[in-house]
Amino acid sequence: MEKRIDTKVVFLTAMSRQEYHDYRDWKLPDDQNGEDIGYLVEDSKAGYKNDSRHDGHISWWPKDKADQTYTRSEGLSFGQALEALEIGEKVSREGWNGVGLWLELQRPDEHSKMTLPYIYINYPPNAKTTPGAKCPWFASQTDMLAKDWLVVE
């Protein structure tokens, strides 16, 4: 047996099983409980859409299954933040004293002088120092041990 890990970002909207069936304009099967608590789960990187109101594939998941499968996008460890960077997300720390700072992963391309991927920090346009700058970034021990990382838009 082979063990695999899947990392992706999904969007969850709380709704009962009945609300999901109503949203999809479907009849709830007689053998299902419409009061089951859960989520509409949207996977925008699934590669296909199954509802014109969404950018990705949607489905309904029971709350306990979704809570076990998907990690919240805040209160992350540094390792979880790195996983988010690897799949193209932007991350930040709640504990940073610089408001609006975030990290991104840069992968080398045909225009790069760098040959390996690296992480850079972004400064917002209204930053007091270096507004709009993108600088290579190195994690401190405090950053690596923090549990206040979050995925940002």
Side-chain angles (χ1 to χ4, degrees), residues 66-136:
D67 289 346
Q68 290 171 3
T69 303
Y70 299 116
T71 303
R72 297 185 67 84
S73 61
E74 68 272 343
L76 303 176
S77 69
F78 184 61
Q80 292 167 315
L82 286 175
E83 288 177 3
L85 286 172
E86 284 283 338
I87 62 170
E89 298 296 322
K90 300 173 185 177
V91 299
S92 185
R93 281 199 52 210
E94 286 184 35
W96 277 343
N97 57 6
V99 177
L101 302 174
W102 74 93
L103 303 179
E104 290 183 70
L105 181 66
Q106 175 65 48
R107 295 185 190 278
D109 60 24
E110 64 274 3
H111 306 294
S112 298
K113 293 180 181 177
M114 303 294 281
T115 57
L116 298 172
Y118 64 94
I119 298 171
Y120 63 92
I121 192 165
N122 288 273
Y123 290 82
N126 61 349
K128 291 181 182 177
T129 60
T130 60
K134 295 181 177 191
C135 305

Side-chain angles (χ1 to χ4, degrees), residues 8-9 15 43 46 50-51 57 77 87 90 109 128 138 144 150:
K8 61 182 173 181
V9 174
M15 64 175 56
D43 181 352
N50 62 346
D51 187 294
H57 178 269
S77 69
I87 62 170
K90 300 173 185 177
D109 60 24
K128 291 181 182 177
F138 295 95
M144 289 186 273
L150 57 134

Side-chain angles (χ1 to χ4, degrees), residues 32-76:
Q32 293 185 4
N33 180 359
E35 295 180 18
D36 288 343
I37 298 170
Y39 299 99
L40 178 154
V41 178
E42 180 177 355
D43 181 352
S44 61
K45 298 194 177 162
Y48 65 99
K49 296 168 58 164
N50 62 346
D51 187 294
S52 62
R53 297 168 288 186
H54 295 269
D55 292 331
H57 178 269
I58 65 168
S59 57
W60 186 85
W61 285 43
K63 183 181 183 325
D64 59 343
K65 180 181 174 187
D67 289 346
Q68 290 171 3
T69 303
Y70 299 116
T71 303
R72 297 185 67 84
S73 61
E74 68 272 343
L76 303 176

